[in-house]
Amino acid sequence: GQLPLLEIDDGRMIMQSGGMFRWAGRLSGHYPEDPAQMLEVEEIIGLVEDLNKQIMPSMYIARMPEAYGHFDADKDKLAAIQGELRKKIVEPTSDFHKIAKLLESKLEGSSSGWFCGDKPTCADIEMFVKMRHLKKGVLDGIPTDIWKTYPKLEALHDKMAATPGAVLP
């Protein structure tokens, strides 16, 4: 009754993309076994989820206006609300940028350029996917260069994009 849905070889059906992501990360060696490193990876994944929480209302307001208390709004009003939400996201003092600064600071002590350790983990993949989405310019009102003031995140993005096997949508 819910998507996405993953059927494992033994026939089990698993919902929730976060769990699927971590499961695949464990199988591929991108999710650490060490509990301390695992906690670091989870911290970054949580921060990226916090970034998503800043963006999602501006994505869903037009698709599910009643979920945001807009039961009778027409398309023009919803588009205006969406524009205002996105305008707030890009303001330098927004919660989006506060979280981005935290993520940037997490890379400051990294000698490898990765969030945790000397190879990419689920944390780096999660950040890469979020950055890639916004860089594509698919959200009106959010500039494709929104990451320009975060050189370490930009470097992580470029490093991840250059990683053999990385698929660029």
Side-chain angles (χ1 to χ4, degrees), residues 14-49:
I14 305 296
M15 295 177 283
Q16 295 299 321
S17 57
M20 293 175 201
F21 176 57
R22 289 166 179 84
W23 175 77
R26 176 71 51 96
L27 291 178
S28 66
H30 292 94
Y31 193 84
E33 297 283 337
D34 175 69
Q37 284 187 331
M38 186 186 308
L39 186 58
E40 290 178 37
V41 166
E42 287 298 328
E43 177 184 38
I44 300 304
I45 290 173
L47 286 168
V48 176
E49 288 171 357

Side-chain angles (χ1 to χ4, degrees), residues 132-153:
R132 191 84 181 156
H133 179 240
L134 295 181
K135 283 175 168 283
K136 287 169 54 175
V138 296
L139 299 180
D140 293 340
I142 298 183
T144 58
D145 66 351
I146 194 165
W147 305 106
K148 69 182 175 190
T149 57
Y150 307 103
K152 294 189 182 319
L153 289 174

Side-chain angles (χ1 to χ4, degrees), residues 84-157:
E84 287 301 313
L85 289 170
R86 291 187 180 163
K87 198 181 294 184
K88 289 179 182 178
I89 290 167
V90 300
E91 289 174 359
T93 58
S94 71
D95 286 343
F96 176 92
H97 283 289
K98 288 177 188 172
I99 297 163
K101 287 175 188 169
L102 281 171
L103 286 158
E104 178 82 0
S105 74
K106 293 292 179 183
L107 287 170
E108 287 181 7
S110 172
S111 59
S112 66
W114 303 116
F115 279 115
C116 310
D118 59 356
K119 65 180 185 174
T121 65
C122 286
D124 305 294
I125 295 167
E126 190 83 354
M127 188 69 218
F128 172 74
V129 169
K130 176 49 49 192
M131 291 183 76
R132 191 84 181 156
H133 179 240
L134 295 181
K135 283 175 168 283
K136 287 169 54 175
V138 296
L139 299 180
D140 293 340
I142 298 183
T144 58
D145 66 351
I146 194 165
W147 305 106
K148 69 182 175 190
T149 57
Y150 307 103
K152 294 189 182 319
L153 289 174
E154 287 278 17
L156 173 98
H157 173 273

